Amino acid sequence: MRANPNNVSPPEGDWQTVTLPDNWMERWPGYSGSVWYRITWQSECNQSELGLLIESIVMAGEVYVNGNPIWRDMSLIEPLSRSWNMPRFWRLSHPLVRDGENTLLIKVVGVAGQTPGLGPVHVGEAQVLQKKHDDLVWRNRTLFFINLTISAVMGAVFLIIWLMNRKQTDYGWYALTAIFWVLFATNIVATSPFPFSDTVMAAKANAIAFVLYVASFCMFTWHFLKLSMPRFTKTLWSVATVLIVITVSAQASMLKEALALAIFVPVAIFFTNLLFAAAHALKKPSAEHLIIAACFLSFMIIGIYDLLLLLHVIQTGNPLMPITSIATTLCLSGLLGLRHARNMRRIEHFNIELENGIDHARAELSSTLQREHELVLTNSVLKERLQLSRDLHDGLGGSLVRMIAIVQQAKSPLQNQQVLSFLKQIRDDLRQTIDAGSSNDVRVPASPKEWIAPLRHRFMQLFDDIEVNASWEVPEKWLMPPNAMQCLALTRLVEEALINIFKHSRARNVRLKMSQPEANMLMLVIEDDGVGFDIEAVRQAGVSVGMRSMHARIAAVGGALEVQSLPGRTSLTISLKITTTNA
């Protein structure tokens, strides 16, 4: 009988006969409010202790026995208490129960669209009903608490694993699946709609959680089986978005249909995905795929059975989903755990191989460094030999050529003093060649004139003997003096150039000019008016040791040599960037 929610007793009027469990939406579609149920039974004085068991009250209510209140929900106004999955049991004492006819009144407060009404009610022997109550609590609540705990823990574990390695997308989707399942299944054990303000908002949030749970589960199975299905993914999330929008925007008059759509469409997708994933897993008969195929097929069969129970197509039986959901969660978590353990073993083996590779590479590197060290030593010896050959060619060689020319052109035998002078000069050139390896032992002249003086003295006598006019133009002082090695390189280069003029040019005039256009830049030009030579031909033939020596020597100290030659004019232009270091 419908009544005002504030009534503490049923109003006067005609009672309607109903069969429990009852859903008053079948009689009063769209009605939200309170309804009274009246149950009568006969009791005898010698009857054993009685018990009262109410399997569910949707959503909240209060109970009277013979007009005496024995229980009341915490809240009979929004936000309503949630007793829809909370079995209630009371022992009825003899003062409360009288001989003969007894009356049980149950006030139920419900919301349209939430199957409001009363579940099965049992009055009988207390011990029997106590056992039945305990079974219902175990099946309807305890198993779900266990499932929620396992799902929350597994979800947190695999979320952490995914956060540590974002490439393992199946772990991330499994974590989301577990999170949305926990949010959805909390509705089964919650006794209030908190944190939502009313029952309708809680119901919408619960439906949205279920939609997201199914979508996440589909994504998990596809990534676990390494399936790439961009079209199905786009379709899946489009459908999920539409269902969420419909659920959120549903008005009270369409709430039942909207919630049904948000439940049954994902259920259909869920079962279809289970069948598809199982079929795909069976195509690759590995142990992992066989386990997941068996798990999905069993879950699908049991899910269909529970759905038929919910729709009352099957009239008797208990839902198996509370048990199978725990088994499925443990199975999937175990498979993911095995995959993670396998990945960790693979990483461990990779680390071992990497360590072995590093040891091997270290040994090869050590061997390579040893070989490179030997090559460096060999190269140093070769460089020393090359440097020595250049110094002998440019220094001692030039002196010998000049002395040979003097002897050849002498009109009378040389005096002992002249021969002794030649030998002393050869000695000095050898000593300078030996000491040239260390720039610290080479002194930089105080001025350009001091630097050019020995060269001028040495070659003027030679040029005078063959009637060659020579001019020497150098600055009075250095703007910035070259370092010892640069000074030595310039000396050797000038010696080589003047020797070449003497030997090959047939020149009548020679000009040497030094300048410093900038403090750190030195220019030296040596010109003659001889017959000249073909620069390219000499370079390609590779017969000019002196030319190569001059280029290499000046380049080694940061300078450059430019050679130009035509009949009647040959010039060597040396540009040197002065540095203060002796290295």
Side-chain angles (χ1 to χ4, degrees):
M1 176 181 294
R2 291 195 297 185
N4 189 305
N6 296 323
N7 289 353
V8 295
S9 61
E12 296 294 333
D14 295 331
W15 292 86
Q16 298 183 30
T17 302
V18 299
T19 302
L20 300 180
D22 176 61
N23 175 8
W24 76 55
M25 292 287 291
E26 297 174 359
R27 292 186 302 279
W28 308 305
Y31 173 67
S32 296
S34 61
V35 172
W36 286 88
Y37 290 85
R38 185 180 65 185
I39 301 172
T40 60
W41 80 94
Q42 295 292 325
S43 177
E44 299 178 0
C45 60
N46 59 353
Q47 191 173 2
S48 60
E49 184 182 17
L50 294 178
L52 170 63
L53 172 63
I54 302 177
E55 294 190 16
S56 64
I57 299 175
V58 187
M59 282 289 174
E62 53 185 340
V63 180
Y64 298 83
V65 175
N66 294 325
N68 299 307
I70 64 171
W71 172 82
R72 186 180 187 274
D73 255 313
M74 290 292 295
S75 177
L76 297 182
I77 58 174
E78 292 287 3
L80 291 173
S81 300
R82 299 169 60 86
S83 293
W84 71 275
N85 195 40
M86 175 67 79
R88 306 283 183 181
F89 172 76
W90 302 269
R91 290 179 179 272
L92 302 179
S93 60
H94 285 294
L96 192 63
V97 179
R98 52 180 180 241
D99 293 337
E101 185 176 84
N102 293 268
T103 302
L104 173 66
L105 291 174
I106 304 173
K107 179 184 178 180
V108 178
V109 181
V111 178
Q114 294 290 289
T115 62
L118 182 64
V121 177
H122 308 273
V123 177
E125 187 176 346
Q127 291 184 350
V128 175
L129 293 183
Q130 177 73 65
K131 184 177 183 305
K132 184 175 181 63
H133 169 264
D134 295 342
D135 292 340
L136 288 173
V137 171
W138 166 257
R139 187 170 64 247
N140 294 358
R141 301 188 63 80
T142 306
L143 285 176
F144 280 104
F145 276 116
I146 295 173
N147 180 274
L148 287 172
T149 302
I150 294 174
S151 298
V153 171
M154 292 297 102
V157 168
F158 289 108
L159 179 61
I160 293 173
I161 295 175
W162 175 75
L163 289 174
M164 295 174 63
N165 185 0
R166 301 293 179 85
K167 293 182 179 180
Q168 295 179 305
T169 51
D170 49 346
Y171 291 82
W173 284 114
Y174 181 80
L176 273 181
T177 300
I179 290 171
F180 287 125
W181 170 254
V182 168
L183 293 176
F184 169 73
T186 300
N187 173 70
I188 299 174
V189 296
T191 56
S192 74
F194 180 83
F196 304 101
S197 60
D198 56 52
T199 304
V200 172
M201 289 185 64
K204 289 183 176 181
N206 182 249
I208 292 172
F210 184 71
V211 171
L212 294 175
Y213 159 72
V214 171
S216 300
F217 181 79
C218 292
M219 296 298 296
F220 159 69
T221 56
W222 298 346
H223 282 78
F224 184 85
L225 297 173
K226 294 179 171 57
L227 297 175
S228 178
M229 298 190 297
R231 291 184 180 178
F232 283 101
T233 299
K234 184 177 180 179
T235 302
L236 173 68
W237 288 107
S238 297
V239 172
T241 302
V242 171
L243 291 175
I244 291 173
V245 170
I246 291 174
T247 302
V248 171
S249 59
Q251 301 299 317
S253 59
M254 296 297 295
L255 180 63
K256 178 182 178 180
E257 290 75 10
L259 294 179
L261 193 67
I263 295 298
F264 288 106
V265 171
V267 165
I269 295 174
F270 183 77
F271 287 147
T272 303
N273 178 68
L274 287 177
L275 184 61
F276 168 77
H280 179 80
L282 290 174
K283 293 180 181 178
K284 299 179 180 180
S286 64
E288 185 179 88
H289 285 77
L290 290 176
I291 292 173
I292 200 168
C295 180
F296 283 178
L297 288 175
S298 301
F299 198 51
M300 182 182 67
I301 294 171
I302 294 172
I304 293 174
Y305 170 79
D306 286 355
L307 182 62
L308 295 177
L309 276 177
L310 179 65
L311 297 175
H312 302 293
V313 176
I314 299 177
Q315 299 297 328
T316 59
N318 295 320
L320 300 176
M321 191 62 69
I323 299 175
T324 56
S325 60
I326 296 175
T328 303
T329 300
L330 292 175
C331 180
L332 294 179
S333 300
L335 287 175
L336 285 175
L338 289 174
R339 177 172 288 188
H340 182 65
R342 188 164 55 248
N343 291 338
M344 294 301 295
R345 284 197 300 270
R346 188 180 297 116
I347 293 173
E348 183 178 353
H349 292 158
F350 173 76
N351 288 337
I352 294 174
E353 293 176 359
L354 183 60
E355 289 179 1
N356 294 335
I358 291 174
D359 292 338
H360 180 69
R362 187 182 292 113
E364 287 188 349
L365 180 59
S366 177
S367 176
T368 302
L369 291 175
Q370 180 66 27
R371 289 196 300 269
E372 287 187 357
H373 179 66
E374 294 173 357
L375 290 174
V376 168
L377 292 178
T378 303
N379 187 48
S380 298
V381 173
L382 293 176
K383 286 180 66 177
E384 291 295 332
R385 291 178 179 176
L386 180 60
Q387 185 67 32
L388 182 61
S389 67
R390 288 173 179 166
D391 290 342
L392 288 173
H393 177 273
D394 297 342
L396 185 60
S399 297
L400 289 174
V401 169
R402 181 176 60 81
M403 294 173 188
I404 291 170
I406 293 174
V407 173
Q408 288 177 340
Q409 296 177 11
K411 296 179 180 180
S412 62
L414 299 178
Q415 298 297 322
N416 291 340
Q417 193 63 31
Q418 287 178 299
V419 174
L420 182 61
S421 176
F422 288 163
L423 292 176
K424 287 182 178 179
Q425 186 174 344
I426 291 172
R427 180 199 63 189
D428 293 341
D429 286 344
L430 278 174
R431 182 175 296 165
Q432 188 176 21
T433 300
I434 294 171
D435 294 340
S438 175
S439 61
N440 295 326
D441 297 331
V442 181
R443 185 180 65 85
V444 178
S447 67
K449 288 185 176 295
E450 185 178 335
W451 167 74
I452 200 64
L455 293 172
R456 181 176 180 178
H457 174 74
R458 185 183 302 176
F459 282 95
M460 278 304 296
Q461 183 180 356
L462 186 63
F463 286 150
D464 289 343
D465 291 341
I466 60 175
E467 298 179 353
V468 174
N469 295 319
S471 64
W472 310 79
E473 301 176 22
V474 295
E476 291 291 334
K477 61 180 181 179
W478 306 109
L479 296 181
M480 178 186 291
N483 64 47
M485 294 304 295
Q486 289 176 328
C487 188
L488 181 61
L490 286 173
T491 301
R492 295 302 189 208
L493 193 145
V494 170
E495 288 177 342
E496 176 68 16
L498 295 178
I499 289 296
N500 287 339
I501 292 173
F502 173 77
K503 290 168 60 178
H504 306 296
S505 69
R506 287 179 277 174
R508 307 313 304 166
N509 296 284
V510 177
R511 177 172 176 259
L512 182 147
K513 181 180 180 181
M514 175 185 285
S515 64
Q516 281 190 278
E518 298 178 11
N520 65 341
M521 181 62 67
L522 187 146
M523 302 294 294
L524 181 63
V525 180
I526 303 172
E527 295 179 332
D528 69 79
D529 58 356
V531 296
F533 64 96
D534 190 337
I535 298 174
E536 285 299 321
V538 171
R539 183 180 292 115
Q540 293 177 6
V543 296
S544 178
V545 176
M547 187 68 69
R548 293 197 304 273
S549 175
M550 286 191 290
H551 278 282
R553 185 181 291 278
I554 198 65
V557 294
L561 171 63
E562 181 182 358
V563 181
Q564 296 179 341
S565 183
L566 292 172
R569 184 180 182 276
T570 298
S571 68
L572 280 70
T573 303
I574 302 152
S575 57
L576 179 64
K577 186 175 182 181
I578 297 175
T579 58
T580 57
T581 176
N582 288 334

